[in-house]
Amino acid sequence: MSRLSRRQFGKIAGWAALGPAAASTEPAGAGTAQESRFTGQGFISGFPSDFLWGTATSAYQIEGAVNEDGRGPSIWDSYTHRPETSAELGNADVADDHYHLYKDDVQLMKALGAKAYRFSIAWPRVFPEGSGTPNPKGLDFYNRLLDELLANDIEPFATMYHWDLPQALQDRLGGWISRDTANAFADYAGHVAERLTDRVRHICTINECARFVHLGYGLGLDAPGLKLSRAELNQVRHNVALAQGLSVQAIRAHGRTGTKVGPAENIVICIPAIETPANIRAAEIATRELNAAYLTVMLEGEYAEGYLARVGKDAPSYTARDLSIISSQIDFVGLNVYRPDHYVVAADNDRGFTLIPFPASFPHMDSAWLRIAPEAMYWAPRHVAKLWGVKSIYISENGTSATDEPAADGNFYDLDRIMYLRNHLLHLQRATSEGIPVSGYFVWSLMDNFEWSDGFQKRYGLYNVDFDTQRRTPKLSASFYREIIRHNAVV
Ligand code: BG6
């Protein structure tokens, strides 16, 4: 199956007729001055003065050291060691060896002038069995990393779950099919929050619910490689949403007062095909409906009518109390923005919108699924601010794979990545200049790493990594990003 079809996220949420639209509020102002000045060399479009520029990674994709200091196996270790997957993908037993090279990697961030770093904590390092007895040596690694980041004036954003579920929970409970996994996740999140929030002020709960559920439990293309029935899959979705709410509560109960918590979601991004008021409204309605199983229920505390009508007898079992847990107050929404899911036009039908099919000639980046539509970077945060009155948004990931062949002089002139980033950032600048409250941006990724079902074949880093020698080499995009940060503007 091609990568494009693997990432058909848009088809997983509610599809049928939508009930009354959510109360809309106008986006709040970002509150800080914007700059847009003519330099004589071209316009420089500025961002708010306190805008946070960062890079992002995740534990399994970079750390390696899978058997060190008491770490337990995760579902990704098991999945990548299956004979059929290991032959195709390799594994991340070593990956970027970040577990040992983290000090050097912090210097890579420093060289960019980055002000923030989003990383994830490996649950199986902290609880090798998923729950029960913690492994203090596991958290020691993150203590060392945090100290190194803060010593270099880099603000840590920690993600609690970036897909590396302890294998023990998959074996004992069936993983996310059981709500006990949601409870175990909350216990783990509370344990970590108690010990790290003296230094971590922002915690992302779960990275991209839609991706790991759909591909891992629905299509069998990510760990744990299952193909559950529709009803089971909807239960998994519900349990994951529940885990989001339970973990927010646990982090608040055990973390320092003032700790900011929110999800990092890859929402289904709906773009008005032509920016008329009617199409914009249609895109908002579609956004609410197509994100029903995750962000909509998290922010509204109920499943959209259209979603329930569509899933019918395959609806998950849940209680009213579950819904109030799922919608526990969050402090920010993280958005992972890569590509458009749908272009939308207004329609005189039950749903109020039509999704336009993509023509075969629509352009994409090196990864076939990664269609190029920089305006997604404007519409995703705008819809979230407008539909749900969200006052604080981070772009928790944005980036692209590229072929990254070295030129004759040995340098990596990744002009396609620069083109992609520059155009997305121009649309982000449009958003912040209109007062849409985006407070920061994290490029995916700091360095090349293990890209899940693409193994080491796809490269997303600002730094090239030679996986034989662990040598890191800045690509041209690293210089580009450094200039963006230095000017606080698109250059
Ligand atoms: C995001 C994930 O979906 O996309 C990252 O949060 C991932 O972990 C990135 O690496 C690129 O996706 P892929 O499937 O091309 O590796």
Side-chain angles (χ1 to χ4, degrees):
M1 181 174 287
S2 74
R3 289 298 290 160
L4 187 61
S5 56
R6 286 192 208 178
R7 305 270 300 216
Q8 301 286 306
F9 297 136
K11 301 204 168 58
I12 58 181
W15 285 96
L18 179 69
S24 333
T25 43
E26 287 304 316
T32 34
Q34 307 279 322
E35 268 185 53
S36 192
R37 56 204 159 85
F38 184 63
T39 60
Q41 297 162 338
F43 278 102
I44 293 185
S45 306
F47 285 83
S49 57
D50 53 355
F51 198 77
L52 209 56
W53 295 101
T55 61
T57 63
S58 89
Y60 184 69
Q61 294 180 269
I62 63 166
E63 284 179 1
V66 292
N67 295 314
E68 273 183 59
D69 294 332
R71 177 188 181 276
S74 78
I75 55 174
W76 271 95
D77 295 300
S78 310
Y79 184 70
T80 54
H81 279 274
R82 289 181 190 175
E84 64 283 13
T85 29
S86 74
E88 196 193 332
L89 313 178
N91 59 59
D93 289 3
V94 178
D96 296 64
D97 200 21
H98 172 75
Y99 194 77
H100 300 113
L101 300 176
Y102 69 95
K103 286 192 178 179
D104 299 336
D105 293 338
V106 170
Q107 290 312 308
L108 302 182
M109 302 170 208
K110 183 106 177 147
L112 297 172
K115 299 174 170 59
Y117 175 50
R118 176 173 172 245
F119 63 99
S120 81
I121 294 170
W123 183 353
R125 284 198 194 282
V126 184
F127 285 97
E129 294 293 316
S131 57
T133 312
N135 168 38
K137 282 190 173 172
L139 262 191
D140 282 352
F141 169 67
Y142 301 103
N143 277 314
R144 294 194 291 276
L145 174 63
L146 287 179
D147 292 343
E148 192 66 19
L149 288 167
L150 294 176
N152 285 281
D153 294 321
I154 297 172
E155 173 89 25
F157 277 57
T159 302
M160 290 287 177
Y161 186 69
H162 203 124
W163 311 348
D164 43 1
L165 183 75
Q167 180 63 42
L169 292 179
Q170 191 63 42
D171 295 341
R172 270 205 320 274
L173 305 171
W176 291 104
I177 191 67
S178 165
R179 55 190 290 143
D180 284 346
T181 295
N183 290 319
F185 178 63
D187 292 345
Y188 147 73
H191 177 89
V192 172
E194 192 170 333
R195 287 156 184 82
L196 299 190
T197 51
D198 56 333
R199 284 153 295 157
V200 175
R201 294 190 303 152
H202 292 82
I203 294 184
C204 297
T205 49
I206 299 177
N207 185 70
E208 297 191 0
C209 302
R211 156 83 189 251
F212 80 86
V213 171
H214 190 50
L215 271 68
Y217 288 83
L219 299 180
L221 294 168
D222 272 358
L226 298 176
K227 293 180 183 173
L228 301 182
S229 68
R230 263 167 56 103
E232 288 171 317
L233 203 52
N234 288 328
Q235 195 62 51
V236 168
R237 290 186 180 118
H238 178 74
N239 294 343
V240 168
L242 186 65
Q244 150 73 22
L246 288 169
S247 65
V248 169
Q249 296 187 353
I251 292 162
R252 292 218 196 291
H254 296 279
R256 287 229 173 160
T257 309
T259 305
K260 307 280 188 213
V261 194
E265 266 297 281
N266 57 327
I267 63 164
V268 176
I269 300 176
C270 301
I271 299 176
I274 301 164
E275 289 187 20
T276 63
N279 288 344
I280 292 171
R281 184 66 196 134
E284 290 167 0
I285 293 169
T287 298
R288 179 174 176 267
E289 179 175 333
L290 300 181
N291 291 287
Y294 302 114
L295 201 59
T296 306
V297 69
M298 288 173 195
L299 292 169
E300 294 185 17
E302 54 188 272
Y303 285 119
E305 281 170 36
Y307 172 69
L308 290 178
R310 177 177 172 267
V311 295
K313 65 174 179 37
D314 293 326
S317 59
Y318 61 93
T319 63
R321 181 159 160 65
D322 286 358
L323 295 180
S324 90
I325 293 170
I326 290 171
S327 56
S328 298
Q329 179 78 41
I330 52 179
D331 302 295
F332 65 86
V333 170
L335 294 174
N336 292 359
V337 176
Y338 285 91
R339 65 154 202 184
D341 290 277
H342 300 290
Y343 282 90
V344 175
V345 288
D348 188 15
N349 59 22
D350 282 354
R351 300 168 91 188
F353 62 88
T354 294
L355 306 177
I356 302 181
F358 281 93
S361 56
F362 200 93
H364 62 80
M365 300 299 294
D366 182 46
S367 299
W369 62 267
L370 223 173
R371 292 185 180 122
I372 306 166
E375 65 271 31
M377 186 58 91
Y378 170 75
W379 288 103
R382 174 174 155 147
H383 289 327
V384 169
K386 178 92 189 300
L387 277 169
W388 295 296
V390 171
K391 298 283 190 289
S392 177
I393 296 171
Y394 289 93
I395 302 303
S396 34
E397 286 180 26
N398 169 244
T400 182
S401 57
T403 49
D404 288 348
E405 282 115 13
D409 62 5
N411 289 318
F412 295 92
Y413 297 112
D414 53 342
L415 291 170
D416 48 349
R417 179 173 289 107
I418 292 174
M419 176 279 293
Y420 175 96
L421 294 176
R422 178 186 284 121
N423 283 288
H424 279 76
L425 289 171
L426 282 169
H427 282 272
L428 186 58
Q429 200 275 332
R430 176 184 175 195
T432 57
S433 68
E434 288 181 15
I436 296 166
V438 180
S439 314
Y441 169 93
F442 294 81
V443 74
W444 184 273
S445 181
L446 173 66
M447 55 192 170
D448 296 339
N449 58 56
F450 180 81
E451 287 292 344
W452 309 114
S453 299
D454 285 321
F456 295 101
Q457 299 310 309
K458 296 293 177 200
R459 292 176 176 267
Y460 281 77
L462 299 181
Y463 287 88
N464 173 272
V465 176
D466 178 331
F467 292 103
D468 294 326
T469 62
Q470 292 299 343
R471 184 181 151 84
R472 279 82 158 127
T473 307
K475 304 174 192 173
L476 192 61
S477 58
S479 304
F480 168 73
Y481 197 49
R482 189 178 59 233
E483 290 304 309
I484 295 261
I485 296 172
R486 195 159 75 86
H487 290 279
N488 196 32
V490 182
V491 291

